[in-house]
Amino acid sequence: MFKGFKNFVMRGDIVTVAVGLIIALALSTLIKAFTDSVINPIIASAQGGHAFGLGWQLGRTGNKATYLDLGSFISAAIYFVIFMAVVYFLIVVPYRHVQARRGVTVFSEPLPVRTCPACLSEDVPTAATRCRYCCTDLPPVGTMPHH
């Protein structure tokens, strides 16, 4: 039982995913510190003298539970954009380049598809000559009837 678990954990793709998650967690922590220490004070200063940040007090003055904090939402959106950009440019782009040098295509554009006239499946590859779902022979590309 433990040998099977060890084999599962030590598979290359599991280790790759684990390393990717660790890198993402480290990047997330770094970007969160940036948004908390740099972006949040800038957003809060836009409100003026309020201590909570950019937003409106909906209830009793000074009650943080009833404070509509728009600044935190803006900060979270900025965090998300920065995080996704960092992941894309520091992980996805280099990984795509390394895999391309190995002859493997990853994260490519999806292939064009068409709809099967018999079963109406919408994800049949354009170059297919037979539907993968109902096995209907498909006419060559360009001769499909248009509705």
Side-chain angles (χ1 to χ4, degrees):
M1 182 168 95
F2 289 111
K3 183 179 180 185
F5 179 72
K6 178 185 164 210
N7 290 339
F8 169 74
V9 171
M10 298 308 290
R11 286 184 19 211
D13 52 348
I14 298 291
V15 174
T16 302
V17 168
V19 169
L21 288 173
I22 291 167
I23 291 170
L25 180 61
L27 289 172
S28 174
T29 303
L30 180 65
I31 295 167
K32 180 77 171 128
F34 173 75
T35 55
D36 287 347
S37 302
V38 177
I39 302 296
N40 286 354
I42 292 171
I43 293 172
S45 70
Q47 179 69 21
H50 295 330
F52 293 144
L54 180 63
W56 299 274
Q57 185 69 50
L58 300 177
R60 194 178 81 245
T61 302
N63 185 358
K64 196 167 185 172
T66 59
Y67 186 75
L68 181 64
D69 193 358
L70 187 59
S72 289
F73 178 75
I74 293 170
S75 177
I78 292 170
Y79 169 85
F80 175 77
V81 169
I82 292 172
F83 184 76
M84 294 310 291
V86 167
V87 167
Y88 181 76
F89 289 111
L90 294 183
I91 297 174
V92 172
V93 170
Y95 180 71
R96 185 187 306 161
H97 178 73
V98 167
Q99 292 296 82
R101 293 179 75 196
R102 296 174 64 202
V104 178
T105 303
V106 293
F107 304 120
S108 63
E109 292 294 321
L111 295 173
V113 294
R114 62 180 169 169
T115 302
C116 174
C119 71
L120 302 179
S121 297
E122 297 178 346
D123 62 342
V124 179
T126 302
T129 58
R130 184 177 297 232
C131 177
R132 72 174 91 182
Y133 302 106
C134 68
C135 297
T136 298
D137 288 329
L138 299 173
V141 178
T143 60
M144 294 276 300
H146 297 290
H147 301 310

